[in-house]
Amino acid sequence: MQNPFIFAMKNLTTAAKLLKLKPKFVAALKKPEHIWNVEIPVVRDNKKTETFHGYRVQYSGARGPYKGGIRFHPATDLNEVKALAFWMAVKCATVGIPYGGAKGGITVDPKQLSHGELERLTRAYTRALYDYIGPEKDIPAPDVNTNPHMMAWMMDEFSKIRGCNVPGVVTGKPLEIGGSQGREEATGRGGFYVLEELAKKLKLNPKKTRVIVQGFGNVGYHFARFAYKAGYQIIGLSDSQGGILSLDGTSMDPENVMASKLKRGRIHGCYCIGSVCDCVHFTQVTNEELLTTPCDVLVPAALENQLTKQNAKQVKARVVLELANGPTTPDADIIFKRKKIILVPDVLANAGGVTVSYFEWVQNLQNFYWTAAEVDARLKPIMVRAFNEVWEMAAKKKTTLRMGAYCVAIERIARAMELRGMV
Ligand code: NAD
C-alpha cells in the first residue's frame, strides 16, 4: 500500500500554498509533536508470552488536548497512524471543536485473539501509555476493530492506576459508564446534516435525488436511514459481500434492509419482510458495479481507497459524500475535479462522530448528562456552520471542498500555534 502519510503531507502543502502560510508553520506541521512506540507483552491463553507493537501519535496539540481513535489491525504501521493523527487534527479544526489530533494503533489481527487476550492487550496498552493520555492530555476512542467494550477496559485500567473514576480518559464508552446518548448514530446523522446543507446550495429536491451508499455498518446504515426518512431516494446499498440496486428507482427502506440482513446475514439479493417483498424492485450487484451506477449522491461509507484511478472515471455521480475515512485516493480526487464531481471530504462529512465524542467528554468532565435531543440540538449547528465555512473558503480560494476544509483547518491550527508562541 502507498504511504498514506505522503498523501497527507501533499494535501498540507497544497493548502499551505493556497493560504500563503509561512514556511515555519509548514515545517512544524510536517512533524508530529510526539510519537510513542510501545512494546506490549501479552500472556496468550496457551501461557506463552507474545509481544505486540503499539503506537500513539500525538500530532498537534495547539488547539486542545490530543484526540483520536485506536486501531487494531495487522497492517497498522507508523506511517498509517501518523497520517490518521494528522487527519484528526484537521477534522477537529474543520468543525471547530477544541481538540488537537492523535491516533493510536496496535499491529495485531484481533480475529486471532480470544476475548481474554484482547482484554489483556487493551489493558497492557493503556498501562504503557498511562503517562501520556488522560482527560486533559489525550483522549482515545474506538476505531477499526476496537469497540465500546474495549473503551470500558481502557477507562477501567486508567482509573485503577489513577485511583479514582476517570470516565473522560476515553470516549465511545458504553452508556452505562459515561457514554453519550446519540454517539452511535452521530456520524451518520452529521453526514446527513452535511447532505442537507449541500442540497440547499445545489437546489437538490430529495424526492428526485438518487443516493447510493457503499457500506452498511454503523455509519452507512444510520446515514441511509436519516436520508430515507427525509425523502431521498435510496437506490443502492452494499456491505462487504455485495449490494442491492433498485431496478426501477424505487427507494429502499434501510430499516427493512437491516432487518433482512440481521435475519439472513447479508443484504444482497432482495428482501422480504412481513408483507413487504422487494424482490420485484431490487437486484443483486457487486460493489464495483454499485460504485459506478448512475446516481446523484454516492456515499462511500465502508473502507479507505475505494475510489481510485481504476474506477473514478466510471463514477457517474454528481456528488461524492465521503463518510468513510480516506475512501478516495489522490488520483481519484484529480479525476473527480476534472469531471466536476463535487466531493465533500471525510474531514467534514464524517466529523459528527468526533463532535459527539467531544460532547461525551464534556459530559464526563461536568458529571452532568444530556438527553438524546440535547445532543442532537448541539450537533446540528456545528455541522451546518462547518459546512458553510468550508463552502465559503473553497469559493474564496477557487478550490475543491477538500482543500477548502484543509484551508479552514490549517489556518485555525496555525493561528493557535502562533498565539501560543509554538513556532
Ligand atoms: P462498520 O464496521 O460498522 O461498517 C463497515 C461496513 O462496511 C460493513 O457493513 C461492512 O460489511 C462494509 N464493508 C466492508 N468492506 C466493504 C467493501 N469492500 N464494500 C462494501 N462494503 C464493505 O464501520 P463504521 O463504523 O460504519 O465505519 C465505516 C467507515 O467510516 C470507516 O472508514 C470508519 O473509519 C469511518 N468512520 C466511522 C466513524 C464512526 O463513528 N463509526 C466516524 C468517522 C469515520
Side-chain angles (χ1 to χ4, degrees):
M1 201 179 89
Q2 288 165 300
N3 179 346
F5 190 61
I6 293 178
F7 295 164
M9 293 301 98
K10 267 191 194 162
N11 282 337
L12 168 64
T13 308
T14 312
K17 273 189 199 143
L18 287 167
L19 290 168
K20 298 189 174 62
L21 204 63
K22 287 186 186 140
K24 64 178 180 177
F25 290 103
V26 184
L29 284 169
K30 284 200 164 172
K31 282 183 292 196
E33 288 169 8
H34 306 285
I35 297 176
W36 308 109
N37 279 282
V38 289
E39 296 300 324
I40 315 160
V42 174
V43 180
R44 302 290 303 261
D45 292 345
N46 63 9
K47 307 285 179 237
K48 289 193 179 140
T49 300
E50 190 173 339
T51 301
F52 296 89
H53 194 83
Y55 311 90
R56 184 76 184 165
V57 173
Q58 296 172 331
Y59 205 97
S60 167
R63 300 184 58 262
Y66 303 106
K67 180 89 188 93
I70 292 166
R71 179 171 289 204
F72 284 7
H73 198 275
T76 289
D77 65 10
L78 185 56
N79 283 321
E80 181 188 71
V81 181
K82 273 163 62 178
L84 291 164
F86 172 74
W87 287 324
M88 279 308 297
V90 171
K91 193 181 295 187
C92 293
T94 300
V95 286
I97 56 175
Y99 281 140
K103 203 84 180 186
I106 302 180
T107 312
V108 60
D109 181 357
K111 293 188 182 85
Q112 305 301 321
L113 268 61
S114 69
H115 185 80
E117 289 169 338
L118 277 175
E119 177 170 358
R120 294 196 285 283
L121 179 66
T122 308
R123 287 183 183 276
Y125 179 73
T126 311
R127 287 195 297 278
L129 287 172
Y130 176 80
D131 284 337
Y132 315 119
I133 60 173
E136 342 53 28
K137 288 185 192 170
D138 181 355
I139 306 112
D143 188 64
V144 174
N145 291 329
T146 52
N147 57 36
H149 199 167
M150 292 169 177
M151 295 306 108
W153 292 330
M154 284 194 80
M155 183 275 233
D156 183 67
E157 195 66 23
F158 187 92
S159 298
K160 272 186 192 151
I161 304 172
R162 179 86 49 107
C164 59
N165 202 38
V166 192
V169 62
V170 286
T171 59
K173 298 179 294 294
L175 269 179
E176 297 84 342
I177 55 163
S180 179
Q181 295 287 349
R183 176 64 188 88
E184 193 194 320
E185 66 269 32
T187 306
R189 194 189 277 276
F192 168 68
Y193 291 144
V194 167
L195 173 65
E196 288 275 85
E197 287 308 293
L198 184 74
K200 283 185 205 160
K201 299 283 185 203
L202 303 182
K203 302 198 175 18
L204 297 179
N205 173 355
K207 292 198 167 40
K208 292 188 179 150
T209 304
R210 296 157 306 157
V211 178
I212 289 180
V213 183
Q214 183 209 31
F216 202 56
N218 173 290
V219 176
Y221 167 63
H222 287 294
F223 168 81
R225 203 167 55 81
F226 291 120
Y228 175 81
K229 284 199 174 141
Y232 287 87
Q233 304 302 300
I234 311 294
I235 62 155
L237 292 171
S238 72
D239 65 11
S240 59
Q241 298 177 59
I244 45 173
L245 194 63
S246 172
L247 288 169
D248 55 4
T250 306
S251 189
M252 42 187 86
D253 179 344
E255 287 182 11
N256 280 345
V257 178
M258 182 55 88
S260 164
K261 179 180 160 85
L262 292 175
K263 212 162 107 188
R264 304 184 312 159
R266 61 187 163 84
I267 68 173
H268 62 273
C270 54
Y271 66 78
C272 297
I273 298 289
S275 60
V276 184
C277 194
D278 266 308
C279 298
V280 191
H281 301 293
F282 304 154
T283 187
Q284 181 173 329
V285 284
T286 64
N287 260 296
E288 202 48 43
E289 288 166 334
L290 190 93
L291 291 176
T292 54
T293 298
C295 66
D296 298 295
V297 183
L298 176 63
V299 185
L303 299 172
E304 57 270 32
N305 299 334
Q306 294 300 297
L307 299 166
T308 65
K309 194 160 71 176
Q310 278 70 40
N311 63 5
K313 281 196 191 120
Q314 282 80 53
V315 169
K316 297 172 200 78
R318 186 174 174 198
V319 171
V320 172
L321 181 71
E322 290 189 325
L323 291 191
N325 281 315
T328 311
T329 65
D331 291 332
D333 256 0
I334 295 167
I335 295 169
F336 290 158
K337 191 175 171 194
R338 221 180 283 141
K339 289 180 71 172
K340 297 199 176 6
I341 293 177
I342 298 171
L343 184 142
V344 187
D346 47 6
V347 290
L348 169 66
N350 71 26
V354 74
T355 302
V356 175
S357 273
Y358 161 58
F359 296 162
E360 179 177 334
W361 175 76
V362 169
Q363 292 169 77
N364 294 154
L365 296 184
Q366 296 176 339
N367 244 318
F368 180 68
Y369 288 85
W370 309 345
T371 62
E374 285 169 316
V375 169
D376 186 32
R378 288 177 167 105
L379 172 64
K380 188 172 181 181
I382 290 181
M383 299 307 297
V384 168
R385 190 192 61 209
F387 175 85
N388 285 290
E389 285 170 347
V390 167
W391 185 270
E392 279 156 29
M393 179 64 92
K396 189 170 127 193
K397 301 284 179 193
K398 297 187 174 46
T399 187
T400 58
L401 290 178
R402 189 183 308 284
M403 272 308 121
Y406 271 71
C407 286
V408 166
I410 300 295
E411 193 168 58
R412 286 179 180 160
I413 298 169
R415 180 78 182 126
M417 291 164 82
E418 186 171 44
L419 285 168
R420 293 177 61 158
M422 293 167 90
V423 282

